[in-house]
Amino acid sequence: MNVLGLDIKPINVRGADMNKREVILETAVELFAEKGYSHTSMQEIAEGVGISKGSLYSFFTSKEDLIISIYEHYQQLVFERVFIIGLDGDLPPREKLEKQFEVQFEGILHYKAYMKMHLRGETGTNNKKISAMEHRMRGRLFSWLQNSLLELYGEEITAYKWDLMFMTQSIYRTYMMLLVTGQAEAKPAAIGKHIVRQLEVMANDFLNGNSQPILNDEMMQDFIVDMDREGAFVSFEKREQAWKTLYNKLNKLDLPQSSSLKEIANRISEETKKSRPEKVVLKGLFALLKENDEIANESKALEDEILSV
Amino acid sequence: MNVLGLDIKPINVRGADMNKREVILETAVELFAEKGYSHTSMQEIAEGVGISKGSLYSFFTSKEDLIISIYEHYQQLVFERVFIIGLDGDLPPREKLEKQFEVQFEGILHYKAYMKMHLRGETGTNNKKISAMEHRMRGRLFSWLQNSLLELYGEEITAYKWDLMFMTQSIYRTYMMLLVTGQAEAKPAAIGKHIVRQLEVMANDFLNGNSQPILNDEMMQDFIVDMDREGAFVSFEKREQAWKTLYNKLNKLDLPQSSSLKEIANRISEETKKSRPEKVVLKGLFALLKENDEIANESKALEDEILSV
DNA sequence: ATGCAAAATGACTATTGAGTCAATTATATT
DNA sequence: AATATAATTGACTCAATAGTCATTTTGCAT
C-alpha cells in the first residue's frame, strides 16, 4: 500500500518493449532533427539506440513507418493539451487562446528535437502517407485557429479569417523556431500573450475597415476540404473524445468536489505530456477519479485509452 | 541600323554556352522544386535538358556546385531590384517599402520554381557552402528590413525592431508561399501594401506601449554578427555598387533629362529581371544612357557588370 | 575532302543505404 | 537440465546514383 492507498502492480509485460520503442522514437527524432531525415541512416539510428539494424526493423517495418510513428507520437502529446484547454468552458475566449499558445510553447520546450525535425520539414517528401499526415496536422491547427477566431470575434470576422489565420500561424511558427533553435529564451506565457495581442491588433484593423483581406474562401478551397475531411478540432481521436466526455460530465454535474477533480484531471494531462509518463502515477490519479461513482465510467474509458498506448 | 540607331552585333561567341548553362539552371530548379534536391538525380536533370550526364558535369563540377549556382543566379535577380528601389531618394519611406515588397512578389511570380525550391529548404543540408549562402541571404533580408524600420520610425523603434523584423519576415514568407504554391492569386501591389500595413499596425501597438517585445539584442547576437559580416544591404555586390554609383550621380547632377534617364535605368532593371534578358535591348538602353557624357563612365561600369554575367 | 580540336556521350566504378534472413543468443517453461 | 519460444544479430542483397573517362561525334579550318 502506498500513500494513495493503492497496490502498485508491476508494469505489464510489454512494458519493456514499449520503452524500447520509445527510446527508438526519441533517438531517431534527435538524429532527424540534427542531420535531416534522408541523411540519417537506419544503421545510425540502430547504433544510437544500441541495438542492431535487424532489431530496429522488428519495431518499425520501414524508415517511413518510423517517421510516421514519430509524428503520431509527438503530435498527440503536443496537441492533446491544447484540445483539453479548449474544453474548459469557464475560461473567457481570449485567456483560453493565450493559455493554449502558452501550452504549445511549453510543449516545444519538452519536445525540442521533434519540433526541430518538424520545422526542417525535410521528411522524405513526395511520400503519400507522410504528406497526408502533414495535411492532417495543418488541418487541425487551422481548425483550432478558426474556432478561436469565431469565439473571439463572432461571425463578423469571417471575411478576414484566412488572412488572420495564416498570419497568426506564421508568427507562431517564427517564435517556435526561435525557441527551438535556442536563439530566444522567453516564458511560454509571455509569448502566448504576445501572439494573441498581435492577432487582436490585426483583427481590429480589419474590423475597423483600415485593412483589406488578401485571401478568400474561393482561394482556400483546398484548405477547407482538408479541415472538413479531418473532422479536425471537434473530435479527432478516440482519446480526445474520452477527455471531452469526462469534462462534459464534470461540468454538467457541478459536484462540490468538482474543482479538485479538475485538478486531478489536469495532473493526468500533465503526466501524459511527459516523454516518459509514469504508469503508476497515472493509475493512482485515475483511482482517485474513479472514487466518484458519477464519473467512474468516463474515467475508466479515458484510462483505458491512455494506458493502452 | 535599328530604331535606336544602333548596329546590332551578333551575341558573343560564348552566348550559346551561357544559354545552355541557364537552361540547365532552369531545368534543375524546376526538378528540385518538384521532387526535392536529394530525390532529383543528375541523370534526370541531364535528361530534362536533353544532354548527357557527362556534358552536365562539364558545366557544373558537382551537384553541390549546381545548387549553389542556382542560388547565386536567382538571388541576384530577385534582390537586386529591391536594392535599386532602395536607392530612389524621392520616394517616401512607406511607399518605398510597399514598392519593395511589391517588386519581391513580382519576382516570385517570375521565379516560382526557384522560390518553391527555396521554401522547401531541403537542399543538401548540413553542407557548409550552402548554409553559408542561406546565412548570407537571411542577413540581407534582415538588414533591409532593419533599414526600412529605422527610416519609417526612427531610433525609437530600436527596442522593438527584432520582434517586428521577425514577424514581418514571417508574414512575407507566408504570402510568398501561398503565391508560389498557387493557392492564392493576388496583385503584388496589394500584397505589398498589406504587409506594410500589418507592420505599421504592430509597430504602432509597440510604440503606444500596448505590446511588449519578446526579443532583444542579446538574444539576437548571432543575427547581428551575420548581418554585419555580410556588409548586407549597404553594398554587397560589385553589380549593385555600380547601380548605386549611377543613381548617386544621377541624383547629384539633377539634369533636365534626369527623369527620362531614370526611366531608362528602370527599364534596364526590368530587363535584367527577366529570366532571359535580351542583350540587344540592354545594349541599346545603355547606349542611350551613354549619350550623356556626365554619366557615361558610370553607365559603362554598370554595363560591364551586367553584360559580363 | 582531310585533319584536328573541342564537345558530347554513356558505359563503368564506387559508394551508400534500405531492407532481408539464416544463424545465434536470451528467456521462459516444464 | 532440457527444450521451446522469442528476441537479436549482422552479413548479405539489391537498387539508386554521384562522379569518371575512354571513345565517338561534331564543327571548323585548310
Side-chain angles (χ1 to χ4, degrees):
Chain A
M1 294 288 217
N2 71 1
V3 81
L4 286 165
L6 299 163
D7 282 335
I8 298 178
K9 287 178 195 140
I11 292 168
N12 72 30
V13 218
R14 286 173 57 221
D17 291 14
M18 293 311 295
N19 265 339
K20 190 165 283 176
R21 206 186 127 94
E22 278 190 13
V23 172
I24 295 171
L25 288 176
E26 279 166 30
T27 309
V29 104
E30 265 159 41
L31 287 168
F32 288 156
E34 190 191 325
K35 324 174 19 133
Y37 177 74
S38 52
H39 289 73
T40 304
S41 70
M42 292 298 264
Q43 186 62 54
E44 282 173 294
I45 296 169
E47 276 161 22
V49 181
I51 58 173
S52 68
K53 198 146 72 111
S55 270
L56 187 51
Y57 274 92
S58 76
F59 287 96
F60 302 95
T61 61
S62 66
K63 199 181 179 183
E64 185 189 277
D65 180 31
L66 175 54
I67 186 89
I68 288 174
S69 301
I70 286 173
Y71 271 112
E72 274 165 358
H73 180 70
Y74 284 94
Q75 217 230 329
Q76 178 86 357
L77 292 178
V78 173
F79 225 85
E80 183 172 76
R81 304 186 69 225
V82 171
F83 178 80
I84 289 163
I85 291 167
L87 295 175
D88 191 337
D90 297 341
L91 226 47
R94 201 198 139 133
E95 276 73 37
K96 197 199 282 179
L97 188 57
E98 284 177 353
K99 186 82 190 163
Q100 284 176 319
F101 274 116
E102 177 184 339
V103 153
Q104 295 240 24
F105 283 103
E106 270 172 28
I108 286 162
L109 297 176
H110 272 272
Y111 313 121
K112 256 189 185 173
Y114 164 70
M115 286 297 166
K116 211 166 170 181
M117 182 196 89
H118 179 59
L119 283 177
R120 277 177 148 249
E122 173 257 340
T123 38
T125 350
N126 37 15
N127 177 94
K128 282 226 177 109
K129 280 190 201 159
I130 293 172
S131 47
M133 172 118 253
E134 276 164 358
H135 250 147
R136 198 155 60 235
M137 290 175 63
R138 212 174 39 176
R140 285 182 192 182
L141 181 65
F142 273 80
S143 180
W144 161 55
L145 282 175
Q146 181 175 252
N147 257 36
S148 308
L149 274 176
L150 288 173
E151 255 189 292
L152 277 168
Y153 299 101
E155 288 298 327
E156 63 173 331
I157 205 70
T158 312
Y160 319 111
K161 75 175 181 194
W162 292 110
D163 288 278
L164 287 170
M165 279 157 66
F166 272 96
M167 290 193 291
T168 309
Q169 181 259 9
S170 76
I171 293 174
Y172 160 66
R173 202 184 145 93
T174 292
Y175 284 100
M176 174 159 111
M177 186 266 287
L178 287 167
L179 269 196
V180 163
T181 60
Q183 303 252 14
E185 273 176 58
K187 292 259 184 304
I191 310 184
K193 278 191 173 49
H194 182 253
I195 291 178
V196 175
R197 177 65 192 169
Q198 306 311 311
L199 169 60
E200 198 172 39
V201 166
M202 295 188 296
N204 285 333
D205 202 53
F206 276 126
L207 293 171
N208 293 336
N210 296 324
S211 243
Q212 295 307 311
I214 299 285
L215 310 172
N216 57 50
D217 278 359
E218 201 201 333
M219 294 172 181
M220 295 296 115
Q221 209 54 53
D222 289 354
F223 265 84
I224 296 173
V225 171
D226 280 354
M227 281 163 64
D228 285 354
R229 188 172 48 224
E230 297 311 332
F233 196 59
V234 187
S235 153
F236 52 93
E237 301 282 352
K238 270 198 285 180
R239 189 166 162 180
E240 269 140 29
Q241 188 57 57
W243 272 108
K244 194 174 178 179
T245 313
L246 175 63
Y247 262 78
N248 281 346
K249 195 70 177 267
L250 264 176
N251 285 329
K252 205 161 56 193
L253 290 174
D254 204 17
L255 301 168
Q257 330 87 307
S258 176
S259 82
S260 87
L261 289 174
K262 274 195 183 170
E263 211 186 305
I264 297 171
N266 283 333
R267 185 62 186 80
I268 291 172
S269 158
E270 288 297 320
E271 191 66 26
T272 58
K273 187 191 71 185
K274 293 185 183 166
S275 64
R276 294 170 191 281
E278 286 181 81
K279 280 210 168 138
V280 219
V281 173
L282 286 172
K283 286 190 175 184
L285 291 165
F286 275 112
L288 292 179
L289 281 187
K290 284 186 286 187
E291 282 172 3
N292 278 71
D293 293 338
E294 288 94 339
I295 57 163
N297 285 338
E298 290 75 10
S299 303
K300 183 72 176 63
L302 181 59
E303 183 178 13
D304 288 346
E305 276 308 323
I306 287 179
L307 292 184
S308 72
V309 174
Chain B
M1 290 291 213
N2 70 1
V3 80
L4 287 165
L6 300 164
D7 284 334
I8 298 180
K9 287 176 195 142
I11 291 169
N12 72 30
V13 218
R14 286 172 57 220
D17 292 12
M18 292 313 295
N19 265 340
K20 190 163 284 176
R21 204 187 129 94
E22 276 188 16
V23 172
I24 296 172
L25 288 176
E26 278 166 31
T27 309
V29 103
E30 266 159 41
L31 288 168
F32 287 157
E34 190 191 324
K35 323 174 18 132
Y37 176 76
S38 51
H39 290 70
T40 304
S41 69
M42 292 298 264
Q43 186 63 54
E44 282 173 293
I45 296 169
E47 275 161 21
V49 180
I51 58 172
S52 68
K53 198 146 72 109
S55 273
L56 187 51
Y57 274 93
S58 75
F59 286 95
F60 302 93
T61 60
S62 66
K63 201 179 178 185
E64 184 188 278
D65 181 30
L66 175 55
I67 186 88
I68 288 174
S69 302
I70 287 173
Y71 271 112
E72 274 165 359
H73 180 70
Y74 284 94
Q75 216 232 328
Q76 179 86 355
L77 292 177
V78 173
F79 225 85
E80 183 172 77
R81 303 186 68 227
V82 171
F83 178 80
I84 289 162
I85 292 167
L87 295 175
D88 191 335
D90 297 342
L91 226 47
R94 202 197 138 131
E95 277 74 36
K96 196 199 284 179
L97 188 57
E98 285 177 353
K99 186 86 190 160
Q100 284 176 317
F101 274 115
E102 176 184 339
V103 153
Q104 295 241 23
F105 283 103
E106 271 172 28
I108 286 162
L109 296 177
H110 272 272
Y111 312 121
K112 255 189 187 173
Y114 164 69
M115 285 298 166
K116 212 166 169 181
M117 183 196 90
H118 179 60
L119 283 177
R120 276 176 147 251
E122 175 259 340
T123 39
T125 350
N126 36 14
N127 177 93
K128 281 227 178 107
K129 280 187 200 159
I130 294 171
S131 46
M133 171 121 255
E134 276 164 357
H135 249 147
R136 196 155 61 234
M137 290 175 64
R138 212 175 39 177
R140 285 180 192 183
L141 180 65
F142 272 82
S143 180
W144 160 55
L145 282 175
Q146 181 174 250
N147 258 36
S148 308
L149 274 177
L150 288 174
E151 254 189 293
L152 277 168
Y153 299 100
E155 287 299 327
E156 63 173 331
I157 206 69
T158 312
Y160 319 111
K161 73 174 182 195
W162 291 111
D163 287 279
L164 288 170
M165 280 157 66
F166 272 96
M167 290 194 290
T168 308
Q169 180 260 7
S170 76
I171 292 174
Y172 160 67
R173 201 184 146 94
T174 292
Y175 283 100
M176 173 159 113
M177 187 265 289
L178 287 167
L179 271 196
V180 163
T181 60
Q183 303 254 14
E185 273 175 58
K187 293 259 184 305
I191 310 185
K193 277 192 176 43
H194 182 253
I195 291 178
V196 175
R197 177 65 191 169
Q198 306 312 311
L199 169 59
E200 198 172 37
V201 166
M202 294 189 295
N204 285 333
D205 202 53
F206 276 127
L207 292 171
N208 294 335
N210 296 325
S211 242
Q212 295 306 313
I214 299 284
L215 309 172
N216 57 50
D217 278 0
E218 201 202 333
M219 293 172 182
M220 295 296 115
Q221 208 54 53
D222 289 354
F223 265 84
I224 296 174
V225 171
D226 279 354
M227 282 162 65
D228 285 355
R229 188 171 48 223
E230 297 310 333
F233 196 60
V234 187
S235 152
F236 54 93
E237 300 283 351
K238 269 198 285 180
R239 190 164 162 183
E240 271 139 29
Q241 189 55 56
W243 272 109
K244 194 174 179 179
T245 313
L246 175 63
Y247 262 78
N248 281 346
K249 195 71 175 265
L250 265 176
N251 285 330
K252 206 160 54 193
L253 290 173
D254 205 18
L255 302 167
Q257 330 88 308
S258 175
S259 81
S260 87
L261 289 175
K262 273 194 183 174
E263 211 185 305
I264 298 171
N266 283 333
R267 184 63 187 79
I268 291 172
S269 160
E270 287 298 320
E271 190 65 26
T272 57
K273 187 192 71 180
K274 293 183 183 167
S275 66
R276 291 171 193 280
E278 287 181 80
K279 281 214 167 135
V280 220
V281 174
L282 286 172
K283 286 189 175 184
L285 291 166
F286 274 113
L288 293 179
L289 279 188
K290 284 186 287 186
E291 281 171 5
N292 277 72
D293 292 339
E294 288 94 339
I295 56 162
N297 285 338
E298 289 76 10
S299 303
K300 183 72 176 64
L302 181 58
E303 183 176 14
D304 289 346
E305 275 308 322
I306 288 179
L307 292 183
S308 73
V309 175

